Amino acid sequence: MALMGEKAILLESGRFVADPVTGGAGGVPVVTTGPKSWAEADSGTEADGATATADAEAEARHRRAAESGDKESSSVLGALLLRRGDLDGAEPHLRAAAAGGDRAAANNLGVLLHQRGCREEAAGWWRIAAVAGSAAAAHALGRYHRELGDEPAAEYWLRQSAESGHALGAYALADLLEHRGDAGAVRWFRAAAEQGH
């Protein structure tokens, strides 16, 4: 599965966690808040050093708040660690925030579990996030059901994602409909293309 993340609340970081099966870069972008992508922070300039310092300070601030029970900071910290590839460090923070009702944390926990190969548990968290309105989680859940061969469930969740304006959801729905020979596929390919897919 490729390209899942909580776009409804958080910004994509552009960083990818390695695929657990291939170890390659076909992984999932993890999302978090921040003024610019973390990929840009690796360019090696002096300004990037200042950004790295600011990022470290922000991480320390979120870590302190998360340790005192702040669910939003747990969510952000978990996303930061997940983006970095620290699955063991991210999981307890994402679980705490997701248990507290944080939609982005539920989606990112699904991403983490998917990376670990725990696909059924990942789908459970994506369902929670999707029901709460996450178009990205609905996309992930739709892709999960399509991989299982459950096309009605796949179409339901992909349609939820696509109708919420999620470009990847629109493309995945179009692909599913095209596979079945449904003329409605053109509408969703067009919607995905208009969103830059």
Side-chain angles (χ1 to χ4, degrees):
M1 220 182 267
L3 299 177
M4 291 169 282
E6 179 58 70
K7 290 183 179 180
I9 294 177
L10 302 174
L11 301 173
E12 284 188 272
S13 70
R15 276 285 228 234
F16 288 82
V17 177
D19 186 294
V21 176
T22 66
V28 178
V30 179
V31 292
T32 186
T33 57
K36 68 181 200 175
S37 83
W38 292 94
E40 294 172 31
D42 293 335
S43 66
T45 67
E46 190 173 311
D48 291 335
T51 300
T53 301
D55 293 341
E57 290 170 0
E59 181 180 336
R61 207 172 38 254
H62 284 297
R63 188 173 297 279
R64 285 189 302 274
E67 288 170 357
S68 68
D70 183 312
K71 299 300 181 208
E72 184 176 333
S73 286
S74 288
S75 179
V76 172
L77 179 60
L80 289 170
L81 296 171
L82 178 58
R83 182 193 63 241
R84 204 178 286 153
D86 182 0
L87 303 183
D88 291 333
E91 187 171 357
H93 296 291
L94 292 175
R95 282 193 184 279
D102 188 286
R103 178 177 87 179
N107 183 62
N108 284 333
L109 181 57
V111 171
L112 181 148
L113 293 166
H114 180 266
Q115 289 295 312
R116 288 200 162 152
C118 303
R119 298 176 196 278
E120 287 182 33
E121 188 179 0
W125 286 107
W126 284 328
R127 179 179 304 279
I128 289 168
V131 168
S134 170
H139 167 249
L141 193 55
R143 294 277 311 267
Y144 168 79
H145 283 292
R146 184 159 187 203
E147 287 176 1
L148 292 177
D150 185 351
E151 288 195 7
E155 182 177 353
Y156 175 82
W157 290 110
L158 292 174
R159 190 171 298 280
Q160 296 300 311
S161 179
E163 289 176 351
S164 296
H166 192 271
L168 294 172
Y171 181 81
L173 177 61
D175 184 59
L176 175 68
L177 295 175
E178 181 184 50
H179 173 73
R180 290 198 309 220
D182 188 319
V186 173
R187 171 186 176 208
W188 293 110
F189 277 130
R190 182 173 289 118
E194 288 171 354
Q195 295 175 57
H197 189 280

